[in-house]
Amino acid sequence: MTNSTNTTTPANTAELPTPVATYLAAKIDREAAILDCFTENVLVHDEGRDHRGQAAIKAWLGDLASKYTLTYTVRGADQWDTGAAVRVEVAGNFPGSPVTLHHHFSLSDDRIAALTICP
């Protein structure tokens, strides 16, 4: 297993809701800072799988970090009162790199309650 050196280019994140901007800035950081962005019962859907709760999110992020070296560049974002949709270019050591993925965030009590990542 290889530990990754993942990076995020936080362009345009200053205007996003705080938990979304924090998540994007710390994307693969497995420490508490990124977990603090999420509600206790958060649901993340990525690559056809659901991950529910902070323990599952920590495992999901750890799995990504152990498999891939990734960079993230925010390409655009839309936001509203209860969420945001962010277009993120993801590049790294995976087939088809780079790809632009859409991150759809739903917020509750200033935390991410749901996140769907899709092409």
Side-chain angles (χ1 to χ4, degrees):
M1 273 184 202
T2 303
N3 279 338
S4 61
T5 54
N6 301 297
T7 60
T8 299
T9 303
N12 305 321
T13 61
E15 297 177 14
L16 289 171
T18 300
V20 173
T22 301
Y23 167 82
L24 291 169
K27 179 71 177 182
I28 300 298
D29 182 359
R30 291 181 283 171
E31 300 304 317
I34 197 166
L35 292 178
D36 288 345
C37 299
F38 298 104
T39 63
E40 288 294 319
N41 294 315
V42 61
L43 173 62
V44 173
H45 182 82
D46 183 35
E47 296 185 302
R49 296 184 59 211
D50 289 340
H51 311 276
R52 182 174 292 282
Q54 288 196 358
I57 301 311
K58 185 174 183 177
W60 166 66
L61 292 170
D63 186 51
L64 288 175
S66 70
K67 290 180 182 177
Y68 306 110
T69 299
L70 304 171
T71 60
Y72 301 88
T73 304
V74 174
R75 295 295 184 198
D78 298 304
Q79 67 174 330
W80 49 94
D81 290 343
T82 60
V86 183
R87 291 169 305 286
V88 180
E89 182 180 285
V90 181
N93 59 334
F94 61 89
S97 175
V99 296
T100 298
L101 299 176
H102 299 260
H103 291 62
H104 299 262
F105 297 90
S106 295
L107 303 177
S108 176
D109 296 325
D110 204 32
R111 289 191 173 184
I112 300 166
L115 168 60
T116 300
I117 301 172
C118 56

